[in-house]
Amino acid sequence: AEGIVVERLGRYDRVLKPGLNFVVPFLEAPRTFTWRKTYIDVNSKVVDRTVNDHRIDLRESVFNFLRQEVYTKDTVLVDVNALMYYSIGDVRKAIYEVEDLQTAIS
């Protein structure tokens, strides 16, 4: 499922949900945004990719944090790997009220 923000003459008009939608040419246009994706590839390297798009994925996604070494209370060294599952609930707020969506999520 994806969501698209539509602007009419440069101002917010509505969010297109999955299904049949109509857009008036020349008056309405999809809002593009910059999405910075940070993930760890199969070679265990951190990849930071910037994408300009007009569709927001509404499905549940995973953010993988870097592995960290942590000492427990009894001074044992443990490797900790954290995952965060998230989904975007309000497309309008994700586009207009947050400057960098990926940084706000993490």
Side-chain angles (χ1 to χ4, degrees):
E2 295 177 332
I4 298 174
V5 172
V6 174
E7 293 180 339
R8 179 182 291 246
L9 300 174
R11 296 187 66 177
Y12 171 78
D13 187 47
R14 66 186 184 279
V15 175
L16 300 182
K17 303 279 181 168
L20 184 62
N21 295 290
F22 296 99
V23 177
V24 179
F26 305 112
L27 289 179
E28 298 177 336
R31 163 76 184 232
T32 58
F33 65 97
T34 303
W35 176 258
R36 196 182 86 218
K37 291 188 176 186
T38 304
Y39 58 93
I40 300 173
D41 65 359
V42 293
N43 298 326
S44 297
K45 292 185 179 179
V46 177
V47 178
D48 192 19
R49 191 177 69 175
T50 303
V51 178
N52 290 328
D53 201 1
H54 61 272
R55 297 174 185 262
I56 290 187
D57 192 6
L58 300 176
R59 297 176 296 176
E60 188 174 86
S61 300
V62 178
F63 185 81
N64 190 1
F65 291 95
L66 293 175
R67 177 170 282 146
Q68 297 179 354
E69 292 182 348
V70 178
Y71 284 104
T72 62
K73 191 173 184 179
D74 53 352
T75 64
V76 176
L77 185 63
V78 178
D79 284 336
V80 176
N81 188 14
L83 295 174
M84 179 178 63
Y85 294 90
Y86 67 92
S87 64
I88 296 173
D90 191 349
V91 177
R92 181 183 172 278
K93 286 183 179 181
I95 295 293
Y96 288 107
E97 296 183 12
V98 178
E99 183 177 345
D100 186 5
L101 185 58
Q102 186 69 24
T103 304
I105 290 172
S106 63

